[in-house]
Structures are given as C-alpha cells and as structure tokens.
Amino acid sequence: RTGAFDRQSKVGVTATFGFFVVAGGGTILLVQTPVDRPHLRLLLFPHAGGSAAAYEGWHDALASRLPVPVEVWAVSPPGRGARAGEAAFPTVAALAQAVLSELVRLELHLAPLAVFGHSLGALTAYELARRMVDARLPPPVCLFASAHEPPSCGMPEAQRGLASLSDAALLRALAAFDFVPVASLEADAADAAEVAVIAPLLAPLRADLAMREAYLDAVAAGTAPPPPPSPTLPLPVYAVG
C-alpha cells in the first residue's frame, strides 16, 4: 500500500504556486503533482516566515533528474501565503504534530517518505521524524537538514531576541545575516516607507523566529515537550550547508 491519496483521482482548488489541496484534505499539506504509486514521497518544510511557495517547481526539477517517480508535498503553515488570515502555530511541537496528524490521516506515510527542511524547516522536519519514531510509525527513509545546526547546539546568541526587535532593526539584522528573502528587498536601507511596505510580511517571520528560539532554549534546558529527544534517529540524516 502506498496510501489513500493514490486511490483518489482528484485534487481540490489550487492553493499557491502550483500546489494543490487534496480533495477531502486539510490545508497543512499540499501536493504539487499527484503521482500514481510513487517510488518516494518528498515532504518539504519551508524556512522561517516561508510558505509552500518556496518550493515551487521542485516536482518538475526532480522529474527531469531522477529515474523513479517522486511525489512532492510541502508543508503550508498558517499565518502566511494562502493562509495569511490564520493564526500561526505557537510552537515547533504544535506545527510538527499538526503535520503528523494530517500525514497519518491521508496515509502518506505508507509509501517511503523523505523529509527536507530549510532553516527553521530543518528543526520542524527533525521534530516530525522523532514523533513518527515515538508513535511507532514507519520512520522517514531519510532527513535532509539544510542551513541549521542540530537542536543540541542551542540558540546562537547573536540571533537571540530577533522577534522582539523593531521592524527597522529586524530588517537590518536579517540583511546582516544574509537572509535572502528580506535582503533581496534592500531591507538594509531601513527607509521608513520601505519598512511600512515590508512590515506586514514580518508577522509570520516574527512568529517563526520566536518559536525557534523557544524550542532551542527548551531543548537546551531539557524541558522540550514529549516525546523526549532521543540521542539518535534510526534513519540517515544529511546535513546540507
């Protein structure tokens, strides 16, 4: 079995950037191009402040390079993109649990599953993987962690408190860290008019930065929510700089 989605012939309305809501599914997991009996499912977690749109075109790119069919899914967190009117998740654990619940409901875990996360997405992908292991579900075949240290490294002091900065100060800090989606808007200038235009885009970013800091501090203090972090995951983990 490769999951209930293979037995469905329709997807719902287009969500954003070529992703679709599964017929009868929720909005937390979106599929790019449905694949009949995929060899692998790839689940993508966006960066802080990001949405599923960050992975536009991944299905076509993989289809042109791989000899086996891969079905590409992406996490669509609330509070940004097509879900801008919804409240963002308050914690990494809450987001990971919501993804896990929908993953199981759609039976997507019944086909081999790989997970990829960039920046904050790497932490959330890790949290999903360890929750799958704890629930005695088939674990992902591998985890790709991009642009983030292991949670055990703790919160970098230079990045602490970013979520509480003023709009102008936050934009300058993100530009200094080469945070490409913001730096590309020439945020380092921090002009008042520029800040006013960009400020609404900062709300989901602030929420994600705050929950990242809280998660890393909780791991460092040994107070992370259950399941307790295990020393290792029973799957390959590939670190991508």
Side-chain angles (χ1 to χ4, degrees):
R1 299 177 67 200
T2 54
F5 184 69
D6 293 320
R7 299 190 294 274
Q8 299 177 2
S9 59
K10 297 180 180 179
V11 295
V13 297
T14 301
T16 181
F17 290 91
F19 281 94
F20 295 85
V21 177
V22 177
T27 54
I28 189 69
L29 295 181
L30 307 179
V31 64
Q32 252 183 11
T33 301
V35 174
D36 185 38
R37 300 188 179 281
H39 183 83
L40 178 74
R41 286 193 172 104
L42 177 62
L43 178 59
L44 306 167
F45 288 79
H47 57 79
S51 68
Y55 296 110
E56 179 186 11
W58 274 51
H59 173 269
D60 291 344
L62 291 173
S64 67
R65 291 168 171 82
L66 298 179
V68 295
V70 175
E71 189 172 75
V72 175
W73 291 73
V75 174
S76 177
R80 76 284 323 269
R83 305 183 66 189
E86 303 175 47
F89 280 105
T91 65
V92 169
L95 174 55
Q97 187 59 47
V99 172
L100 177 59
S101 297
E102 186 71 353
L103 194 75
V104 171
R105 193 175 73 83
L106 294 175
E107 298 185 352
L108 300 182
H109 64 298
L110 298 182
L113 177 74
V115 290
F116 175 97
H118 181 72
S119 184
L120 172 68
L123 288 182
T124 317
Y126 163 77
E127 184 68 18
L128 172 71
R130 74 186 192 91
R131 285 171 180 270
M132 292 179 72
V133 171
D134 184 72
R136 302 187 185 281
L137 297 170
V141 295
C142 64
L143 163 63
F144 297 96
S146 170
H148 205 292
E149 302 87 351
S152 58
C153 290
M155 182 69 195
E157 288 303 317
Q159 298 175 22
R160 187 174 294 281
L162 288 177
S164 61
L165 294 176
S166 68
D167 289 345
L170 177 58
L171 292 172
R172 284 194 296 269
L174 293 173
F177 288 130
D178 291 326
F179 189 82
V180 175
V182 174
S184 65
L185 299 175
E186 298 181 352
D188 55 322
D191 175 80
E194 233 174 28
V195 171
V197 171
I198 299 171
L201 304 178
L202 296 180
L205 180 59
R206 286 184 186 281
D208 287 355
L209 290 172
M211 75 177 188
R212 170 181 178 251
E213 184 169 332
Y215 177 79
L216 291 174
D217 283 348
V219 170
T223 59
S230 57
T232 59
L233 288 173
L235 55 117
V237 176
Y238 299 97
V240 182

